[in-house]
Amino acid sequence: MKAEAMSLTFLGNEGHVRIPFFQRGYVWNIENWDDIFIDLLDFNKSHFLGSLILKQLEKQTGKPKEVLVIDGQQRLTTLSVLVRALYDGFDLETQENCKSSLNNYLFYKKNQTDKNLFVKISHSKIDKTYFQKIIKSDLTSEEYEAIIIENPVTKTSSSSNKILQCYKYFLERLKDINEDIRIELFNRLLDQENKILVIIDLSEKEDEQAIFDTINSAGVRLSSADIVKNALFQKALDLFDNQEEVEELYKSLWEDIFSIDEDTIAFWDKPRATGRLMRDNIEILLHSISVIKGFFDPDKHTLSDLSNLYKNYIKQINKKELSDFIKEISKYAKLFREKIIVFDGSTLFSYQDSHSRLFHILSVCEISTFHPYILSLFYKYDKNPEILDVELKKVESLVIRRMITKSETKSYNKMCKEFINNNSSIDKKIAEQNDNDIINGVSYISNKNATVLLFWIELYRREMDRKESIKELKYNYSLEHLMPQKWEEFWSNVLVKNNESNPILDKESAKKERNAKIYSIGNLTLLNSSLNTSLRNYEFKRKIEGEGRKKGIRKYADLTITKFDILDKYDQGDHVWDECKITDRTNSLVKDILTIW
């Protein structure tokens, strides 16, 4: 890598400067043009207009030197259009004096004996036509007059190409500028000492991602997805017979999938929590595919290796393999967007929707490790939903049983790789946590895990109960300890009993038993609102009924796990809540857990 402050005249040393067709088009608007124009007109200060990252391509015999614009096409395009607009506003004599400079920086020859000049910067897609028209001065007066400049301040919209708008903006602004100032601006832009850019030159073998990571603090950013996309379609350009074929491949299998509209772009750019990290959907997708394909080994690699691993994989494949790989990515992406469910506070869950249940559990547990395996199942059993449901249910059971038994999760990466290679091996992993382990696990459970378990037990019971008409619920309930964590003040007169309903007379043993039972799932329930802080610690009767304006459990007991398990028995005269009741309810809930998972 070579980074150096340079003027725009660096273009004179380049041959063909190519903006890959798979990069986004020109998007700068009047605010960007205004900023750069006003800045450049201040001749009393030095200017820094940002970085350009260029990648030198291996020179082919008989062809001009070629360089790819990896990043910075917006400012490079804008500056080139400004130079052309300045030149077009000069009188004929001044134009003649400046013509050689203009040709040197905006045009190139394919060889030294060629009389024809070609536009140096090669855009892609529709931008290419308009940029060429401007630089070659082929724009007709009718076409110029038809250009409408979009203005975000006045809400003026326009269907005119952005590069055309940029050219007209500069020409119109320059009409109000003194000729001497315009000539000075032109000379400054093409002055070798006016180093307004930092040119970061990469060799063909250098890693763009590593460079971007290094200079990211300066505001330059290239994502792993950008690197992968560039590698895929640069390879396609090398292997396919014509660019039109590659462009069609790009449009149908990448652009239409990842950037066809604003909603699509927003989806793939949206970050989601994956453990302690936030990762974009597209990065999760690409990581999943690399694990499925086997060139990302979770035991050896990290996410920082992702783009390099893709590049190495892409380098080794032939034309057919590349085409098939791009098609695979497209299919995986469609499945990811359709099947990998994201939730918010308004989402309604039902027990029958097993896919939502799985992804909700993974989301609550902040587990994305199994996304590659799950995506491989969607891909493999796309036409066989019955088998797919069975295999996804196994993932759900594995995660829940290991969550309850507090089994370590560091091996999930290794499991994921193992399941992809042989999905029958998941059965052995599920069996590692037996039913006794589950019973012991729910005897002391965290609030987060208890909440998700109780929520899905509730939905399971509603599904099984034909009388229960409401089958869908939002995940917005509050967890409540029936016997409070701070029990000493109001619950000391409730005898501590063991499983045989016999009182434990030894105070220390009794205290130990009570403190253990408090965190058992049988002592926990879900309410549709939190109880008043002071009410939480009251004795059982006041806690159920409330006091004055402080509403008790009865007011917030919408769910069957509270109404039937606790309130119905209370209304039948059972006003005692103790360790035996907790044990009985735990056993009842465990039966549901073992049935579901």
Side-chain angles (χ1 to χ4, degrees), residues 28-90:
W28 272 18
N29 58 33
I30 191 170
E31 293 176 332
N32 305 110
W33 309 325
D34 206 45
D35 286 344
I36 203 169
F37 186 68
I38 293 170
D39 189 48
L40 288 170
L41 282 176
D42 187 351
F43 298 151
N44 296 317
K45 71 170 189 176
S46 58
H47 309 281
F48 174 63
L49 302 183
S51 304
L52 300 180
I53 299 185
L54 309 176
K55 187 161 191 175
Q56 300 292 334
L57 299 182
E58 184 177 351
K59 190 178 185 307
Q60 299 181 21
T61 304
K63 292 187 177 182
K65 178 185 175 186
E66 191 171 43
V67 64
L68 286 181
V69 179
I70 303 299
D71 187 74
Q73 68 142 312
Q74 306 293 325
R75 62 180 61 88
L76 182 60
T77 301
T78 303
L79 290 171
S80 302
V81 171
L82 175 56
V83 169
R84 183 76 227 194
L86 282 163
Y87 178 87
D88 290 347
F90 293 153

Side-chain angles (χ1 to χ4, degrees), residues 316-508:
Q316 300 169 15
I317 58 181
N318 59 36
K319 178 180 177 181
K320 183 180 184 308
E321 290 168 338
L322 179 69
S323 180
D324 290 344
F325 185 43
I326 295 171
K327 290 175 183 176
E328 275 187 288
I329 293 174
S330 174
K331 183 174 179 180
Y332 278 122
K334 289 176 182 176
L335 288 170
F336 185 99
R337 188 169 186 189
E338 178 186 350
K339 306 292 188 182
I340 307 294
I341 306 168
V342 181
F343 312 104
D344 58 35
S346 65
T347 303
L348 282 168
F349 296 94
S350 70
Y351 182 79
Q352 278 195 333
D353 189 351
S354 58
H355 292 187
S356 288
R357 187 172 68 244
L358 168 61
F359 286 112
H360 180 246
I361 290 166
L362 292 175
S363 176
V364 172
C365 297
E366 296 182 347
I367 296 172
S368 62
T369 317
F370 288 114
H371 278 59
Y373 176 56
I374 292 168
L375 197 58
S376 74
L377 291 176
F378 280 125
Y379 193 96
K380 183 177 181 180
Y381 299 114
D382 189 31
K383 305 299 182 183
N384 200 328
E386 291 81 10
I387 296 179
L388 174 65
D389 287 346
V390 170
E391 296 303 323
L392 291 176
K393 180 67 184 301
K394 290 178 182 179
V395 178
E396 185 184 329
S397 295
L398 177 77
V399 169
I400 285 291
R401 294 175 79 92
R402 293 183 71 86
M403 176 194 81
I404 291 172
T405 57
K406 304 170 186 66
S407 302
E408 57 89 17
T409 59
K410 291 181 180 179
S411 60
Y412 278 177
N413 278 320
K414 186 175 181 180
M415 286 186 200
C416 184
K417 184 173 71 171
E418 183 181 343
F419 299 161
I420 288 170
N421 293 330
N422 177 18
N423 62 310
S424 65
S425 61
I426 193 172
D427 296 310
K428 293 181 181 179
K429 292 296 180 184
I430 293 172
E432 288 179 1
Q433 283 72 42
N434 60 41
D435 291 356
N436 285 331
D437 295 329
I438 301 299
I439 293 169
N440 293 331
V442 296
S443 296
Y444 193 95
I445 192 164
S446 72
N447 289 352
K448 181 179 76 171
N449 293 346
T451 302
V452 73
L453 287 173
L454 290 169
F455 180 75
W456 284 105
I457 290 170
E458 173 69 21
L459 284 170
Y460 164 73
R461 290 184 177 181
R462 285 171 178 264
E463 186 63 33
M464 296 302 106
D465 186 356
R466 293 182 179 180
K467 296 179 181 178
E468 186 59 61
S469 59
I470 299 174
K471 305 289 187 181
E472 294 181 320
L473 297 172
K474 295 179 182 179
Y475 190 67
N476 56 3
Y477 292 90
S478 297
L479 189 75
E480 183 64 34
H481 291 73
L482 297 168
M483 182 182 290
Q485 298 172 74
K486 298 178 180 179
W487 54 268
E488 287 88 347
E489 183 178 357
F490 295 104
W491 289 69
S492 295
N493 62 335
V494 178
L495 292 175
V496 178
K497 297 179 181 179
N498 61 19
N499 293 343
E500 287 77 34
S501 300
N502 295 319
I504 300 175
L505 300 179
D506 178 70
K507 288 186 178 181
E508 286 302 314

